[in-house]
Amino acid sequence: MSLQENNFPVILERFALSYPRQARFGYELMPLYEATVARETYKLAHLGANHLQLADFRREYGDEAKRTQDHIKSWVSLSVNRYTVESSVDRSELIGSVDIGQSSLLMREARMRNAYDKMMNSIEAAQVKDILDESKYGEHTTTPTATNLWGNAASDPITQIEVARTKIKNSIGFYPNKCVISDTVWQALRYKKNLVDRLPNTSLKAGITPEDFAKIIAVDKVIIADNMYHNEDKLSYTWGNNVVLAYVPNTIYSLEDLSFGVTVRAPLGYAEMRDYFDERTTSDVTAIDERLGWAVANYEAGFLFKNVL
């Protein structure tokens, strides 16, 4: 059903449908899954190593098909929360515009973008709290001390990461493919001599790149998380001084896929989008109700290096 049946402006419709899909650091470990059915609670598969158990697929023609989910160790509940983003443009702001309708839409789109920016930054900060909860990782976490701190000239982060890679491989059967590094940690690693020395064609002046580091630690992608949030009277890095290594598929096709974590977006339809005129403030108002939720489903698929500096 087209959202236009609710007289919702098409330019705002396209923006609302596409914006939450934009790449963000939190999605690297909790990829976005666009649900096809609206629910209050979704179930994510907790798989561990049992998804690789052997099974006998031999079956005589005509036998009843096996429909089992015995490869799933357990389920993780994920509740979606409702978030409302709004943009409002007072018609007095449009006085003098050559095309009032066009100017109003463009102004509302800009303010909606700002609202989405703030909402998604707040959501990522909440996601990171789950990601950085060391109590959930069991043996898949460490807090370096003394000369093992990554900023120490004598420390060897690569050896520490190799131990973590092996733990993940032995737990889920796959090596990790992504590494999220906070910007503060990355700045300490860029010119670390025992890392630069591994790349003879990289000069000390330029430092190593995320692509260089990905090759060194044998992952597909290294992500430098430099986003911040306003913490009382100052800005703080959302990811602190932490590093997370994890196995995460590039695309989530099902909530039964093996993944460190998942972000679920419930279907967005015309009922969740409102466009109206507020006589009290003489404003054109756009309101969109997003329903989003997230959870780490498989901590065994990750490894947390806590406070490495």
Side-chain angles (χ1 to χ4, degrees), residues 36-73:
T36 55
V37 177
R39 292 178 180 151
E40 295 299 320
T41 303
Y42 294 85
K43 298 289 186 181
L44 311 180
H46 174 206
L47 296 173
N50 57 352
H51 69 286
L52 294 177
Q53 65 187 355
L54 302 182
D56 186 357
F57 288 92
R58 293 171 298 180
R59 184 164 60 90
E60 293 297 327
Y61 184 79
D63 284 354
E64 183 178 352
K66 289 181 64 178
R67 294 184 175 87
T68 64
Q69 293 178 315
D70 54 5
H71 64 290
I72 297 172
K73 184 185 298 184

Side-chain angles (χ1 to χ4, degrees), residues 156-168:
D156 185 4
I158 305 306
T159 298
Q160 296 180 36
I161 289 175
E162 188 57 39
V163 171
R165 290 182 74 249
T166 302
K167 281 185 177 290
I168 293 173

Side-chain angles (χ1 to χ4, degrees), residues 3 14 64 84 103 135 154 157 197 212-213 235 245 265-266 276:
L3 300 181
R14 291 172 180 168
E64 183 178 352
T84 300
S103 298
S135 68
D197 287 347
D212 292 333
F213 196 68
L235 287 173
L245 195 66
R265 184 193 193 194
Y276 61 93

Side-chain angles (χ1 to χ4, degrees), residues 14 36 48 57 170 188 200 202 204 222 246 267:
R14 291 172 180 168
T36 55
F57 288 92
N170 290 340
T202 301
L204 280 169
V222 167

